[in-house]
Amino acid sequence: MVEKFNVIVIGSGTGGAGCAAILASAGLKTILLEKNPVLGGRCTSYTKTVNGEKWIIDKYVHYFCRCEKGPFGKILEKCGEPDAIRWFHPTFENPPLGFLDDIPIGAPLPPFLQPSNMSDLQRATGATDEEMSGILKVFDVIFSITKRKSHALDDIEFDEWVNSLVSNQKLLYILHSLCIMMNVHMPFSIEHKGKVYPGASAGDSIRNLSKWFKAGNTGYPIGGSIAISNGFANVVRKNNGIVKTNAKIVKIIVDNYNKIIELDDGTQYEAPIIVSNAGIKETVLGLVGEDKFPKDYIKRVKELIYSEGGRDYGVVSLKIGVDKKLTDSPVILVIPQSLSFREILDFKARDVVPDRPGLYYITIPSNMDKSLAPPGMQLINAIGPCAINSKHLDDWIDYNLRAVEKYIPGVYEHKIFIDITVGDNIKEWTGRFESDMVGIAQSVGQVGKNRPKPETPIEGLYIVGADTGSIGIGTELSAQSGLETAELILEYVKSHPDKVKIE
Ligand SMILES: Cc1cc2nc3c(=O)[nH]c(=O)nc-3n(C[C@H](O)[C@H](O)[C@H](O)COP(=O)(O)OP(=O)(O)OC[C@H]3O[C@@H](n4cnc5c(N)ncnc54)[C@H](O)[C@@H]3O)c2cc1C
């Protein structure tokens, strides 16, 4: 006898878990299935014990935009559980620190951006007043453009747009860094194995920056990255839903309106509504199968390109445990000033470590939630450039470690352990076809009206997660999709009560 639900959610990433929380709290009988032993997908943490002491370490994600003021908060509001996820926010007394190579530029992230940042920028870059007026225009557009007008820039690459306003190369590197950090996609098109990959969309980047800057909020979930999906999953359980880990779906069987999913151990579940967080390509081409969809839909799905992480723009993530508190900062951001992103790509393509600083995003999670490291110790999470499939991984690790040592002196001397995650194998964790960091790229041709939608040609089958997120950065994009997909499903349930009823 196959157990029946109103809704089956495949995958517990931010989008899947968030969507499941809303649906369960709306009274639908919901099951959330995750193939990994822990929840969260790319937004997760693991526990490590060293000398009998416990560390909670982010597997990938570093830092979060908008937090409770964005879709994470809106999901929990809908569930009537606003406190299921709690956030740390840095203060003006101890804000994130920014550097242009090694020149400090004050706090570079919202809400800490101040007019003084502009004078710091001018001093550090040596830009003229006229050149500075270009970057001010960029910020002016970000703060004042309407959503409708931003869509007119959807088909323009971010690099082309900023180049039309800014001529100073060092200022351009700063804007490129913002784009790469947000979208994990190049601001310009690049060729890879004979195929051209369009750059990040200017319109989409502007909308994301605008939302983020206006919300004036950045932060980190108490409990580490995994606290987000755990928070959502607790809402599912509280509403009589089921949450299962180590539950890998191998097949979605669609027979007319009926849908059955099959796990790798042969278990089957049935539901009229299936929500897949496994990826649009992976669900359509893999779990369901091409023959179940119209040809033009399959063509479109095949054409979609992933964000970077495993193609040209590789990264290495170092999680460093130190036996002493070495810094008070919650976040340190280093923006390259002597190396363009085209040059960084070239170094990576040749698998040669650059001779100058790259883009480093360093968070100190235990300064945001001290329970993540043992008392008196510190956890540092640094992400920086690395060639894909490098034959010289030790050199890249050393290059990144030297950078961390420069901004947090004492790391070498005080390190207890260094865990290393290389971008190349993200797909082993996510089950996706590529090791992309964010989801389907927010690039020209894939945003605005061209963004893949949660609905599919199969009635009752939805795709949730960053792949179908309409706006936002990383996890926020995925949570936004969780919110919008749940709203679509609730509308569907309202208008088709007979179809969703369990016999
Ligand atoms: C190194 C790195 C750093 C990042 N830094 C940030 C950051 O600082 N801030 C930020 O906001 N974002 C960051 N991101 C991006 C962010 O992590 C992703 O955009 C977001 O987590 C994607 O969420 P998702 O729900 O779309 O997909 P995923 O997180 O990939 O979730 C999909 C889930 O589905 C499960 N699944 C797949 N197939 C099956 C199956 N067959 N059966 C059952 N389960 C299945 C997977 O195991 C996974 O748990 C980073 C990503 C990486 C890789």
Side-chain angles (χ1 to χ4, degrees), residues 28-200:
L28 295 174
K29 186 181 175 194
T30 303
I31 184 166
L32 173 63
L33 300 165
E34 168 55 54
K35 72 174 174 56
N36 289 331
V38 290
L39 303 179
R42 278 167 280 189
C43 183
T44 196
S45 322
Y46 61 95
T47 302
K48 182 183 179 92
T49 304
V50 184
N51 303 328
E53 302 202 272
K54 197 171 109 183
W55 301 73
I56 298 172
I57 303 172
D58 293 329
K59 192 167 173 71
Y60 299 115
V61 171
H62 281 68
Y63 202 53
F64 296 80
C65 300
R66 290 201 288 157
C67 310
E68 68 276 47
K69 290 192 187 172
F72 304 106
K74 291 200 180 113
I75 289 174
L76 293 179
E77 241 171 64
K78 274 197 169 289
C79 301
E81 296 280 350
D83 301 322
I85 301 167
R86 291 178 307 120
W87 298 90
F88 163 90
H89 298 291
T91 59
F92 278 87
E93 289 72 47
N94 187 20
L97 298 181
F99 291 87
L100 297 184
D101 281 355
D102 45 15
I103 306 174
I105 49 153
L109 301 173
F112 307 103
L113 288 167
Q114 298 290 314
S116 62
N117 288 104
M118 287 300 149
S119 22
D120 286 344
L121 273 193
Q122 184 164 17
R123 232 186 344 267
T125 57
T128 62
D129 287 349
E130 200 188 331
E131 287 169 336
M132 284 306 290
S133 73
I135 198 162
L136 288 172
K137 268 188 216 144
V138 170
F139 285 116
D140 186 42
V141 172
I142 289 168
F143 276 103
S144 63
I145 198 166
T146 60
K147 195 173 166 197
R148 193 177 54 81
K149 281 196 176 160
S150 75
H151 282 296
L153 295 170
D154 279 358
D155 291 336
I156 295 177
E157 290 181 346
F158 186 77
D159 178 56
E160 186 185 336
W161 177 63
V162 290
N163 259 292
S164 68
L165 297 171
V166 177
S167 55
N168 179 291
Q169 286 305 305
K170 291 187 172 181
L171 295 177
L172 280 172
Y173 296 167
I174 296 170
L175 294 168
H176 282 176
S177 300
L178 260 183
C179 174
I180 288 163
M181 277 190 324
M182 277 188 318
N183 296 329
V184 195
H185 197 74
M186 290 298 130
F188 37 74
S189 44
I190 48 177
E191 204 182 310
H192 178 89
K193 295 189 178 162
K195 181 175 166 181
V196 175
Y197 290 79

Side-chain angles (χ1 to χ4, degrees), residues 10-16 33-36 40-43 60-64 247-249 277-278 287 315 361 383 426 429-430 432 436-439 465-467 473-476 478:
I10 304 171
S12 69
T14 319
L33 300 165
E34 168 55 54
K35 72 174 174 56
N36 289 331
R42 278 167 280 189
C43 183
Y60 299 115
V61 171
H62 281 68
Y63 202 53
F64 296 80
K248 181 176 178 179
I249 284 76
N277 186 205
L287 293 176
V315 291
Y361 197 2
I383 192 160
I426 298 170
W429 182 253
T430 59
R432 290 166 70 84
D436 61 318
M437 284 170 68
V438 172
D467 284 4
I473 300 170
T475 52
E476 193 194 7
S478 172

Side-chain angles (χ1 to χ4, degrees), residues 394-410:
D394 286 348
D395 294 347
W396 287 95
I397 292 169
D398 187 52
Y399 168 70
N400 280 278
L401 252 184
R402 275 187 279 121
V404 179
E405 174 72 29
K406 190 152 136 196
Y407 303 100
I408 310 179

Side-chain angles (χ1 to χ4, degrees), residues 343-392:
E343 287 171 305
I344 296 179
L345 283 175
D346 181 57
F347 274 107
K348 287 180 182 181
R350 290 185 287 118
D351 199 358
V352 171
V353 170
D355 48 359
R356 286 152 280 162
L359 175 65
Y360 310 105
Y361 197 2
I362 307 169
T363 52
I364 300 85
S366 56
N367 282 355
M368 301 192 269
D369 174 357
K370 59 180 184 327
S371 72
L372 302 180
M377 304 193 191
Q378 197 154 51
L379 179 62
I380 299 164
N381 197 353
I383 192 160
C386 181
I388 309 277
N389 295 321
S390 175
K391 293 193 170 57
H392 309 286

Side-chain angles (χ1 to χ4, degrees), residues 252-254 259 274 276 279-302 453-463:
I252 302 175
I253 305 158
V254 181
K259 288 169 217 78
I274 308 282
S276 177
I280 186 166
K281 286 182 186 253
E282 295 71 12
T283 304
V284 170
L285 307 175
L287 293 176
V288 179
E290 287 189 29
D291 56 322
K292 298 285 179 196
F293 295 90
K295 285 201 169 56
D296 56 344
Y297 185 74
I298 292 295
K299 181 172 176 287
R300 176 68 187 136
V301 168
K302 284 186 174 170
K453 305 282 177 288
E455 305 101 312
T456 69
I458 295 178
E459 190 180 344
L461 174 69
Y462 296 84
I463 310 292

Side-chain angles (χ1 to χ4, degrees), residues 9 15-25 30-32 232 235-236 482 486:
V9 181
C19 185
I22 299 178
L23 298 177
S25 60
T30 303
I31 184 166
L32 173 63
F232 291 146
V235 176
V236 174

